[in-house]
Amino acid sequence: MELDNQSPETIEYKAISGKFGDVRYFITTLDQSDAVENIQFADDIQNSWSFSERVQRKLDENRANTDIFRYLAQGGIRFFNSIVIVLLPNSNDQREFWDFSEVRSQGKTVEKWVNLKLYKNVARIVIDGQHRLLSLKRYWNAHTGKEPLSSQQMNENFNCSETFDIPVVYLVFGDLGRVGHAGLSETVRDEIIKSTRNIFTVINKTAKSIDKQTQLLLDDSKISALIPRKLLEERILEERFIRWSSTSTSLTQSEPYLTTLDLVSQCTIELLKDYPKQALKKSFNSPTERNIALETYYESHPKLPEIGTKESVMRLTGMKP
């Protein structure tokens, strides 16, 4: 955050600026306190039901306060991609609320770098990343003592003493709302809402989720992904017999494989279905947690210690006679 040359009504940030057609964007970081206290959800804005219904999915508070919060609070390597924000004035009468100027060094313009100035009384609305923001707010409340961690969370090594720099992207539409351009439109707020709806639709319509096989290869937090990958890494399951690089979860007769990575994962889930809270639904985010989980549910099994999960999965998948 840029502290110099601020008025009581404005706040400034150093940012990288770019244009994507008619959309100008500013990439910057916010202190966690700034992000959780000043970025808002569309539902926080009064008289904006038509806006909120179109630019935000219904928030799954349980997901934000459990899975994502756990990811933040249990340490290890963590990262969130940028939260996308639009500036929404209170009414159409408010036509000027942001501006930017070039950054200069030794008399020369520093390409792409700008000083971004925002008016404080204009709402900053998240249009992509609302669950991340909600979990960051929960984390901040624990950090500041407003919502202390429960005894169970303490026992699970939750820790909210660390704070983060939050990556954000501000979107503006042409010069709508820019200082000195009040004459562009008499319905600035309405036009911003319309443009925001279009952006939100594109972001969510074109976003492609990772296929299940790839998730199993990349996920370091779920036992249903850790065990299949461990079997491959230790060459207990021969990689050449396992199809792991396709978006399909089933085999055809013409394919030269014995099983799929997804089936190995499903076998793991079946073996551990009696332990959903301790194993299947729990996220193991730190190396220590992952190692303990693998010792508990891979090398052995709570009810099948003489065989173990590793041996049982191989038998269920037909990879061992």
Side-chain angles (χ1 to χ4, degrees):
M1 182 174 68
E2 184 69 20
L3 297 177
D4 296 333
N5 301 320
Q6 294 188 80
S7 74
E9 296 80 24
T10 63
I11 189 168
E12 293 188 23
Y13 302 96
K14 284 287 192 294
I16 295 175
S17 177
K19 291 195 70 176
F20 204 101
D22 292 332
V23 177
R24 182 181 292 277
Y25 59 90
F26 301 92
I27 304 171
T28 188
T29 60
L30 303 185
D31 295 338
Q32 191 168 354
S33 60
D34 187 3
V36 302
E37 292 170 7
N38 295 308
I39 300 175
Q40 297 175 277
F41 301 102
D43 280 348
D44 295 336
I45 309 300
Q46 293 182 350
N47 302 319
S48 66
W49 286 109
S50 61
F51 179 50
S52 63
E53 288 170 356
R54 297 294 185 91
V55 302
Q56 276 184 355
R57 296 192 185 105
K58 183 175 178 59
L59 277 173
D60 183 347
E61 294 192 17
N62 184 60
R63 174 188 168 218
N65 289 326
T66 53
D67 294 347
I68 305 178
F69 177 62
R70 179 186 294 275
Y71 172 74
L72 287 175
Q74 284 196 318
I77 296 176
R78 296 151 292 171
F79 181 71
F80 282 164
N81 57 337
S82 298
I83 293 172
V84 181
I85 302 167
V86 295
L87 305 173
L88 187 68
N90 294 320
S91 70
N92 283 317
D93 294 332
Q94 197 173 7
R95 300 184 195 174
E96 298 184 0
F97 43 85
W98 68 273
D99 200 5
F100 74 95
S101 59
E102 295 176 337
V103 171
R104 300 184 66 83
S105 177
Q106 298 180 347
K108 296 182 179 180
T109 299
V110 181
E111 189 176 3
K112 302 294 183 182
W113 281 95
V114 300
N115 293 308
L116 174 64
K117 179 185 292 186
L118 307 178
Y119 278 59
K120 291 182 179 179
N121 62 346
V122 171
R124 297 186 245 172
I125 305 296
V126 54
I127 64 167
D128 186 58
Q130 56 263 37
H131 288 97
R132 281 167 271 154
L133 178 62
L134 190 61
S135 64
L136 286 167
K137 287 177 180 284
R138 171 67 183 95
Y139 183 100
W140 183 253
N141 287 340
H143 175 77
T144 57
K146 293 179 181 178
E147 294 182 53
L149 296 173
S150 67
S151 57
Q152 180 179 342
Q153 289 169 333
M154 297 288 285
N155 290 335
E156 293 182 11
N157 299 316
F158 280 40
N159 188 323
C160 298
S161 60
E162 188 178 8
T163 59
F164 312 107
D165 294 322
I166 311 304
V168 302
V169 178
Y170 287 106
L171 301 185
V172 293
F173 306 102
D175 287 321
L176 284 175
R178 186 176 180 184
V179 174
H181 295 75
L184 272 179
S185 173
E186 295 182 356
T187 56
V188 171
R189 187 179 191 276
D190 292 344
E191 291 188 40
I192 289 174
I193 289 175
K194 181 179 178 180
S195 298
T196 300
R197 286 174 177 167
N198 292 335
I199 291 292
F200 176 79
T201 301
V202 170
I203 287 175
N204 288 279
K205 185 177 179 180
T206 59
K208 186 178 180 180
S209 59
I210 300 174
D211 65 82
K212 191 167 184 180
Q213 308 276 31
T214 303
Q215 288 180 24
L216 291 170
L217 290 171
L218 298 178
D219 192 352
D220 281 333
S221 66
K222 297 296 184 182
I223 198 69
S224 56
L226 290 170
I227 287 178
R229 196 160 66 246
K230 186 78 168 175
L231 289 166
L232 287 173
E233 290 170 351
E234 294 186 346
R235 296 186 181 278
I236 294 169
L237 294 183
E238 284 288 340
E239 183 179 316
R240 58 181 173 158
F241 297 137
I242 311 294
R243 196 186 64 187
W244 51 267
S245 60
S246 172
T247 57
S248 174
T249 57
S250 59
L251 290 174
T252 63
Q253 289 184 339
S254 62
E255 292 181 286
Y257 304 108
L258 295 180
T259 190
T260 68
L261 193 64
D262 179 62
L263 180 58
V264 178
S265 176
Q266 291 302 314
C267 289
T268 302
I269 291 171
E270 183 65 25
L271 285 167
L272 298 175
K273 66 181 181 180
D274 293 332
Y275 314 96
K277 291 184 179 179
Q278 304 97 313
L280 296 178
K281 292 184 179 180
K282 185 175 175 61
S283 294
F284 305 100
N285 292 313
S286 70
T288 300
E289 284 188 313
R290 287 192 287 272
N291 290 336
I292 293 174
L294 286 170
E295 288 174 7
T296 305
Y297 302 109
Y298 175 70
E299 298 293 347
S300 184
H301 186 284
K303 287 187 178 179
L304 304 168
E306 69 282 358
I307 300 177
T309 302
K310 174 170 61 176
E311 181 84 6
S312 300
V313 169
M314 292 178 65
R315 294 185 181 190
L316 284 171
T317 56
M319 296 297 289
K320 185 171 182 177

